[in-house]
Amino acid sequence: MHIGISITPFGHHPAAWREKSEDAIHFNALAAQVKKAEEGGLDFAFFADRLGQRPLNDLSPQAVPFEPTTLVAALATVVRRIGLIATAATTQHEPYNLARRFASLDTISKGRAGWNVVVSPGATARDQEYLDVVSRLWDSWEDDAFVYDKASGRFFLPEKMHLLDHKGEYFTVRGPLNVNRSPQGKPVVSHVLTSDTAEIALRSAELVFIDPASVDEARTLVSDFTQRLERHDRKRSEVRILANVIPFIGATKSDAQQLHDRLDALSPDRERPGGLVAIGTTLDIADALQAWSGIVDGFTVLPPVAPEGVDAFVDHVVPELRKRGLFRNSYEGSTLREHLGMHRPRHPASKAAEQTL
Amino acid sequence: MSKAHMKLGAFLMAGGHHIAAWRHPDAVAAAGVDVDHFIALTRLAESAKFDMVFFEDAAAIRERNINTASQAARSTMFEPLSLLAALAVNTSHIGLVATASTTYNEPYGLARTLASIDQLSGGRAGWNLVTSASELEAENFVSSGLRPHAQRYERAVEFEQAARAVWDSVDTGAYVADGKSYTDRSKLHPVDHHGTHFTVSGLLDSPRSPQGRPLMVQAGASDAGKNLAARTADVVFVAAQTLQEAQTYYADLKSRMPAFGRDPDDLKILPGVSPIVGRTESAARAKYDALQELIPDEVGVALLASYLSIKDLSRYPLEGPLPEMPATDGIQSRQQLIIDLARRENLSIRQVARNFAGARGHWQLIGTPAQIVDELEERFHGKAADGFNVMGAYFPGALQDFIAMVVPELRRRGLFRDEYEGRTLRENLGITIPARAA
């Protein structure tokens, strides 16, 4: 199975901050959580962005107080294996700027970056055009365009640069992108599945996050999505579907239940994160994940408290999953695509060349 | 404040500032997309106690003619704000300044991104505000077509005000997180900006910067650019060839500040300088000549043409003089500087192109450490500069040379610091940390 972790300073439970100090919001504390996740060999660390719904009129303890793409750039140089997914909204960046930012992140991280797309409310035609422009900008240069030939003075091969010359309804972009094709070819593109995003995710998502309230809902979401994928001429195997899971982990079942109840009592009226809730010992959590793994390709872990929830998952649940043969023993590749078992997308020019053979 | 020490920036650029730098035997050719290269260079500058590293930017490739472009190293490079974030957590004292456009960004998003880098670095981030003069950039954005100079500056003025309001929306001490309260609401001041170009509301999502606000850097040298700088800039980066040009600019800009209620010492003027240093004058000259030999004429002329905003410079004979040119909406000041130089020294197009290619119209110094420091000292003490933005011709070699030979001579004469004075960029520059605007 694939496992990622969603990072927050105090934990995903809205009351988690009440038992912590302000130190948790600093870079070193967040980096320590990501390092721990890397120690567990997890596929990626995920950074949400509540500024998709700006303007903000308060500061939320569930939000990471850094702009996600810059945080990921910084983390990429201090953790060296784990994938890093940053959320960014199509309403808040020009497509050229966003394509550059993520191509840069993929290069800085040496192939470990992902873009979690937040579309505009209702997911409009503008969003679809935006995603197409970004994806094609990432193909501005072929993989072997840069030859750096000092003797002849040729830095790149002109025929391996591709202008976009896009003139659409919403965007006009000449291109090319002024960043090389990135180590993964393209950063991994993910969407959180909602009724708004489903149509756009069907076309472009490589990684889909679902936050079901029940196992039945998870099953329905996945089977609906799979059927609709086929209508878009996409294979189920091209996409990884991961369910959010919120594990309350205790030495005993009642310890875990107490943690859950204590936190709930501290914030009775605040909204809880969406996802499957698992409460119990290491074995109980592993049992639940094992049972649900028949439905989805894996999970995004939303630790209710951090860093304890991250530590408990990595130190106890991950070894149990390994023992059961459900999770790899160590990283087998170096890029996020490799962690997720996905192919590196070929450049359209190399695909075309293949077809003419 | 004391004027004893000059401020030094290290202006970094992929393989180097010289257009043919990437072909130098010691240059890292793939430097533009090598994060380890930039981390090493920034640490090198930090080891010599430079005030800051500086990155320019354009949201486009630099050259329309693809054959010309393919012979230069300037077509691809990291998006500089991503790069700054990576540098922030790999350094501890040096300032980190990147360029971003007010024409192709929105104030909230850019202010937030810079605030994030400022937090990552503990108060060492700076923003070089540009309005983007190139057509190639305009063609990558929704509103294609280069906007007139005056319109770009009008937008920039409002952008800066809105960005400042975003930075001021969260005051020091806003995050409490003591178990009872997460924030102190009296420290939160949501933005409510309704202007001609932007509507911005809400709060920044990070704590107030340790240096108050990210450092504001500008390079505009037009009248509108100078007024914006006099009103808002902490550091100004400028191209000036002669002592007199530099003095005129320095006096002009600083004299505009009192009208905006500012102390002229609160703005540091750092002209660009490209020093090529050798133990002997002939060793320095040999380094320069070796680089000049690597410039293809086509590339040199195209680079010059792009700065002069003329599309067909290659039609004119290489051995002849520069043609007459109309005023443009591109970089007006830089164009005049090149023309003045060419007329003054009676240079052919090839000569201007070669000369320009080394430092893109910035001041070039070739000589021994003592000769170079003489020149820098003259401008520093002659009210022409508060310091310099050092543009290494090729990396890492030219920066290593400067640090090994020029910095010790500056220190010997008491012109440059031995240790950082503080942890934030503003502290090291000796600029007041601004309180939230009431």
Side-chain angles (χ1 to χ4, degrees), chain B residues 23-325:
Chain B
R23 298 182 66 190
H24 190 280
D26 298 335
V28 181
V33 288
D34 181 347
V35 69
D36 299 322
H37 168 78
F38 285 110
I39 290 174
L41 281 183
T42 305
R43 286 179 173 163
L44 177 65
E46 186 172 68
S47 73
K49 320 297 176 194
F50 272 63
D51 289 270
M52 65 186 104
V53 290
F54 178 94
F55 295 92
E56 57 134 38
D57 188 46
I61 57 168
R62 308 302 183 107
E63 167 56 50
R64 194 176 295 275
N65 180 310
I66 184 169
N67 191 53
T68 309
S70 74
Q71 297 175 67
R74 307 186 61 222
S75 293
T76 60
M77 163 69 194
F78 286 120
E79 184 281 313
L81 298 173
S82 322
L83 182 58
L84 280 203
L87 296 174
V89 295
N90 285 279
T91 52
S92 58
H93 286 79
I94 194 164
L96 304 164
V97 180
T99 299
S101 169
T102 52
T103 303
Y104 305 122
N105 285 288
E106 295 290 330
Y108 186 94
L110 184 61
R112 178 193 186 206
T113 302
L114 287 159
S116 187
I117 297 167
D118 214 16
Q119 289 297 326
L120 289 168
S121 62
R124 295 181 287 125
W127 169 31
N128 179 40
L129 180 159
V130 298
T131 64
S132 300
S134 94
E135 286 182 19
L136 283 164
E137 287 179 278
E139 290 172 27
N140 285 331
F141 293 87
V142 177
S143 49
S144 287
L146 185 56
R147 298 177 202 205
H149 188 267
Q151 221 180 68
R152 290 202 313 274
Y153 266 89
E154 193 190 285
R155 181 180 157 107
V157 166
E158 190 186 326
F159 195 117
E160 190 277 337
Q161 286 166 348
R164 187 183 286 242
V166 171
W167 290 323
D168 276 354
S169 68
V170 177
D171 209 346
T172 308
Y175 285 80
V176 180
D178 61 0
K180 293 188 190 69
S181 315
Y182 189 60
T183 56
D184 175 350
R185 290 203 162 255
S186 73
K187 304 285 173 68
L188 302 179
H189 311 275
V191 183
D192 189 19
H193 173 101
H194 298 273
T196 314
H197 298 272
F198 311 106
T199 298
V200 182
S201 52
L203 291 171
L204 182 67
D205 66 331
S206 60
R208 186 174 178 83
S209 163
Q211 57 170 347
R213 290 189 281 264
L215 193 80
M216 178 65 68
V217 183
Q218 284 164 40
S222 65
D223 198 54
K226 278 189 277 202
N227 281 333
L228 182 61
R231 197 163 63 73
T232 64
D234 302 304
V235 165
V236 164
F237 173 50
V238 61
Q241 287 284 347
T242 65
L243 173 64
Q244 200 202 332
E245 273 170 19
Q247 284 170 329
T248 304
Y249 180 86
Y250 188 96
D252 178 9
L253 184 53
K254 296 230 170 180
S255 73
R256 293 174 193 238
M257 293 178 67
F260 296 107
R262 297 186 68 204
D263 178 347
D265 273 347
D266 269 341
L267 186 159
K268 307 297 175 196
I269 299 177
L270 308 187
V273 60
S274 182
I276 297 194
V277 55
R279 291 286 172 208
T280 64
E281 197 174 334
S282 63
R285 178 59 61 181
K287 284 184 195 176
Y288 178 67
D289 290 344
L291 278 166
Q292 292 297 88
E293 279 311 303
L294 298 172
I295 308 172
D297 280 333
E298 183 184 340
V299 173
V301 171
L303 181 71
L304 179 61
S306 77
Y307 277 87
L308 293 179
S309 305
I310 38 174
K311 293 192 175 82
D312 52 359
L313 188 61
S314 57
R315 278 195 344 204
Y316 296 90
L318 273 171
E319 309 304 332
L322 281 176
E324 293 300 321
M325 277 158 301

Side-chain angles (χ1 to χ4, degrees), chain A residues 110-122:
Chain A
K110 300 180 168 69
R112 295 178 291 132
W115 171 31
N116 183 51
V117 183
V118 171
V119 295
S120 46

Side-chain angles (χ1 to χ4, degrees), chain A residues 131 208 222 225 254:
Chain A
L131 282 158
V208 173
V222 174
F225 191 78
S254 79

Side-chain angles (χ1 to χ4, degrees), chain A residues 105-131:
Chain A
L105 296 184
D106 202 33
T107 305
I108 289 169
S109 65
K110 300 180 168 69
R112 295 178 291 132
W115 171 31
N116 183 51
V117 183
V118 171
V119 295
S120 46
T124 59
R126 179 189 177 276
D127 291 302
Q128 189 57 60
E129 188 182 326
Y130 188 112
L131 282 158

Side-chain angles (χ1 to χ4, degrees), chain B residues 330-390:
Chain B
I331 304 172
Q332 297 170 330
S333 46
R334 192 73 65 86
Q335 183 181 30
Q336 199 51 51
L337 215 108
I338 298 164
I339 297 164
D340 290 350
L341 174 77
R343 303 272 186 263
R344 190 169 63 238
E345 301 191 10
N346 198 23
L347 302 174
S348 70
I349 289 178
R350 175 186 279 130
Q351 286 170 316
V352 184
R354 287 233 160 161
N355 188 309
F356 182 75
R360 301 192 319 283
H362 284 274
W363 186 34
Q364 211 160 37
L365 287 176
I366 302 160
T368 64
Q371 287 171 324
I372 285 174
V373 173
D374 285 347
E375 298 265 357
L376 298 180
E377 186 171 15
E378 181 184 33
R379 293 199 183 189
F380 179 61
H381 285 146
K383 290 193 184 308
D386 296 311
F388 301 94
N389 209 6
V390 179

